Amino acid sequence: MFALNWLPLQPLIFIKPVDFNMLGIQQSIQKSLQEGLQHLFSIDAQEIVLQETKKEFEGTFTFVVFPFTKQASKAPAQIAQLLGEYMLANNPKIKAFQVVQGFLNLSLQDAVWVEILNGINQDAHPFTLADKKEKVLIEYSSPNTNKPLHLGHLRNNFLGFSVSQILDAAGYEVIKTNLVNDRGIHICKSMLAYQLFGNGETPESSGLKGDHLVGKYYVAFDKAYKVEIETLVQQGIDPEEAKKQAPILLKAQDMLLAWEQNEPSVIALWEQMNTWVFDGFAKSYAQMGVSFDKIYRESNTYLLGKKLVDEGLAQGVFFRKDDGSVWIDLTEEGLDEKLVLRRDGTSVYITQDMGTAQLKYEDFGAKRSVYVVGNEQDYHFEVLFHILKKLNKPFSEGNYHLSYGMVDLPSGKMKSREGTVVDADDLMAEMVNTAQSRTLELGKIEGFSAEEANALFNQLGLGALKYFLLKVDPKKRMLFNPEESIDFQGNTGPFIQYTHARICSMTRKAASMGINIKISAGKSYELAESEQELIFLLGNYKSKIQEAAAQFAPSVIAQYTYDLAKQFNKFYNELSILNEENVDSRNIRLNLASLTGETIKASLALLGIVAPERM
RNA sequence: GGCUCCGUAGUUCAAUGGAUAGAAUGUAGGUUUCCGGUACCUAAGAUGAAGGUUCGAUUCCUUCCGGGGCUACCA
């Protein structure tokens, strides 16, 4: 596997205690288990793996003893029993233990739960990990300037932005970049069509968003092209040949040549249309809530990389064939020979990417780089990373292709030519509309100004969309069902947002009642199971960030946030909070509620989703 | 053809080699004179097939079946 994760998922035991609120307890238990194994069976266990106890069993942590049966030469249940007794006698944090076959389930003292809760209360940075003093560069979005953004781009943008947020929370300095594909034959196609059929139309005159206007002419080109092919075929020309000979295609090729030679009229048209597209994209990005520290354009970078090819030739990394083209031999890596420079000396896609890697390093000096690009380019990035390694540069290591699967529609694959694409702007607008009508039906936003209401509709609509796309493992191909995506119940963004809003309502009320929501430390409470589970989830927040960062997987955060909201609702349903008569219980529950609210807000932010206080 | 990724309830998604494979949705029931019902609870329902490794396999290995992607001197 080439795509080695460069942020190793470390066992918790190696991480500094200050990072995780649950960690001190875990380590204490791991240490006791280690000592127990040594004391009872003379087993020197290097690694103690603790797992979360399954819901249907009593306990918090589970230790699996099966691996030690041989060394201990006893039955699994017997080992577990002895270890459990040892734990109870030697670790004051343990309240009880249960043995099920080879599984030892450990329950914690109530005081330990309060201790964890207090730990979070006192944590100066409860939602971020320690600064790792390291830069990470992330490239995402990477659109073409000849067509508007579609559903696939939404997955890309949401993923890229979310991973940036997660890495930032995990303590990295994150630099967000976007490499826009603004040149090439496909761009000339829309330029040519505009020249032929545009009649001087502009975004202003047509009322179309700039990128949609340009996209319209890309489609127009394709239409005209097909007609010409058809005509040629009817004249008896071979279809394959017709595709190459169609006059409009030849004109587009001429135009590309003229562009590369800086022909002023072509450049002027190109710049004009680019301006429109970039204006359009800027609006879409604003609506998506994503941003970039630097936007690179291929028109500025496509010539880079030739110098690297020269260097590589001198070092023997590349070789030149008789016709003058330059190649790299990757057969030892299980790949093929790959072209890096055409025989006419011009660069190809991969040459440009080599150059851009160097340019980005010169600009920011980040040794780690993440490319958020669809999995149809897996092979390309495999080759690129091998080449960069062989060039042995400061940016040769630490590259990662965050490869994500395609988004399918129920009707099948999205195809721009057949008009079965889901346009990003349309979809976002539709989601916001749905959010609006649902919210107005419920009638809970009286007192909102028109502006506040609109902001809320955006937050809810985009929240639903982002959550829908991010909850799935990025690697996997996913199905986009328009009806389900606008659902606001169940495992959805609005469900989580609603839970947050409800908590906010409660803390507002508590504040007006003059209740202090921070519990007093050191007191011992008898905790209900739903309270313990909530504390457990809250205490796990930082390790979830670590896990999500290590795997570049916003889905980990999405799943966690959903579990947290669900657990809160259970807790909320079972127990009284503001109406609780016992003041100590009321305070601790209120503390739990407000902490849950803050945690939901923080983790939704990692997904790029806003948590409104009222909805 | 070669390389590669993926096949889990009707559907959409989960599950560092661990317990009775979890959720959501849909279906069928139920709860709350209560702090915001977009809530909570209950039920039925699934690992493509066959082997292998293991105390233990959705997970690792092999073969087969089915699907996606890549296999351009395009980007």
Side-chain angles (χ1 to χ4, degrees), chain A residues 526-561:
Chain A
E526 187 133 349
L527 292 167
E529 199 180 318
S530 58
E531 290 172 306
Q532 291 179 10
E533 280 173 18
L534 200 50
I535 296 174
F536 183 80
L537 282 170
L538 293 170
N540 259 332
Y541 183 71
K542 290 189 178 185
S543 71
K544 286 294 169 184
I545 292 181
Q546 174 74 16
E547 188 185 336
Q551 299 175 17
F552 305 98
S555 55
V556 169
I557 299 295
Q559 194 60 44
Y560 168 81
T561 316

Side-chain angles (χ1 to χ4, degrees), chain A residues 199-210:
Chain A
N199 294 321
E201 192 177 33
T202 66
E204 291 74 31
S205 74
S206 65
L208 281 173
K209 207 159 147 279

Side-chain angles (χ1 to χ4, degrees), chain A residues 397-409:
Chain A
E397 305 291 329
N399 292 303
Y400 182 79
H401 174 204
L402 175 45
S403 158
Y404 63 90
M406 193 181 281
V407 184
D408 285 325
L409 296 174

Side-chain angles (χ1 to χ4, degrees), chain A residues 367-610:
Chain A
K367 288 180 182 164
R368 298 189 186 283
S369 211
V370 180
Y371 296 79
V372 184
V373 182
N375 64 9
E376 70 273 12
Q377 295 201 36
D378 283 356
Y379 182 70
H380 171 79
F381 280 98
E382 195 174 359
V383 171
L384 176 67
F385 294 164
H386 272 124
I387 293 177
L388 291 179
K389 267 184 198 160
K390 292 202 168 199
L391 286 173
N392 196 21
K393 292 281 181 179
F395 49 90
S396 285
E397 305 291 329
N399 292 303
Y400 182 79
H401 174 204
L402 175 45
S403 158
Y404 63 90
M406 193 181 281
V407 184
D408 285 325
L409 296 174
S411 55
K413 201 182 290 187
M414 284 199 296
K415 285 179 183 154
S416 39
R417 285 188 305 271
E418 293 171 20
T420 53
V421 282
V422 174
D423 179 77
D425 293 321
D426 292 350
L427 180 59
M428 289 192 285
E430 194 184 329
M431 297 296 284
V432 172
N433 273 335
T434 308
Q436 175 167 5
S437 52
R438 300 260 178 146
T439 305
L440 292 179
E441 266 171 40
L442 292 168
K444 282 184 182 158
I445 57 163
E446 67 273 7
F448 272 51
S449 70
E451 234 171 88
E452 287 168 334
N454 278 328
L456 177 66
F457 304 148
N458 272 301
Q459 289 164 3
L460 296 178
L462 268 292
L465 186 56
K466 287 180 185 181
Y467 189 84
F468 188 87
L469 291 172
L470 289 176
K471 73 178 175 187
V472 181
D473 182 345
K475 291 192 297 288
K476 291 201 174 171
R477 190 173 168 188
M478 68 177 290
L479 187 82
F480 183 81
N481 184 328
E483 282 162 30
E484 264 178 49
S485 68
I486 54 172
D487 210 332
F488 284 18
Q489 288 171 41
N491 191 354
T492 66
F495 165 81
I496 298 166
Q497 288 171 314
Y498 174 77
T499 304
H500 175 263
R502 193 199 237 175
I503 292 170
C504 287
S505 158
M506 197 186 313
T507 50
R508 275 194 303 269
K509 194 166 277 182
S512 73
M513 289 161 71
I515 303 170
N516 179 6
I517 57 167
K518 296 281 175 185
I519 57 164
S520 49
K523 277 197 173 179
S524 171
Y525 301 85
E526 187 133 349
L527 292 167
E529 199 180 318
S530 58
E531 290 172 306
Q532 291 179 10
E533 280 173 18
L534 200 50
I535 296 174
F536 183 80
L537 282 170
L538 293 170
N540 259 332
Y541 183 71
K542 290 189 178 185
S543 71
K544 286 294 169 184
I545 292 181
Q546 174 74 16
E547 188 185 336
Q551 299 175 17
F552 305 98
S555 55
V556 169
I557 299 295
Q559 194 60 44
Y560 168 81
T561 316
Y562 177 64
D563 287 343
L564 181 60
K566 217 166 135 55
Q567 182 58 39
F568 177 81
N569 281 327
K570 191 175 177 174
F571 155 83
Y572 177 88
N573 240 273
E574 279 174 14
L575 304 167
S576 289
I577 301 174
L578 290 175
N579 298 337
E580 170 62 39
E581 288 176 9
N582 179 315
V583 176
D584 285 340
S585 291
R586 185 196 66 187
N587 288 354
I588 205 169
R589 287 176 194 165
L590 201 53
N591 183 203
L592 269 173
S594 94
L595 208 51
T596 303
E598 287 173 43
T599 307
I600 288 177
K601 187 176 180 180
S603 52
L604 283 182
L606 297 182
L607 302 175
I609 297 173
V610 179

Side-chain angles (χ1 to χ4, degrees), chain A residues 268-306:
Chain A
L269 175 63
W270 175 71
E271 278 173 352
Q272 173 66 83
M273 292 179 75
N274 262 353
T275 307
W276 294 340
V277 172
F278 275 85
D279 283 352
F281 283 170
K283 283 178 192 150
S284 297
Y285 287 142
Q287 177 67 352
M288 286 178 209
V290 304
S291 57
F292 305 95
D293 297 305
K294 177 144 189 178
I295 294 182
Y296 291 94
R297 299 190 186 196
E298 247 183 63
S299 52
N300 293 326
T301 63
Y302 82 108
L303 294 175
L304 298 174
K306 288 191 193 179

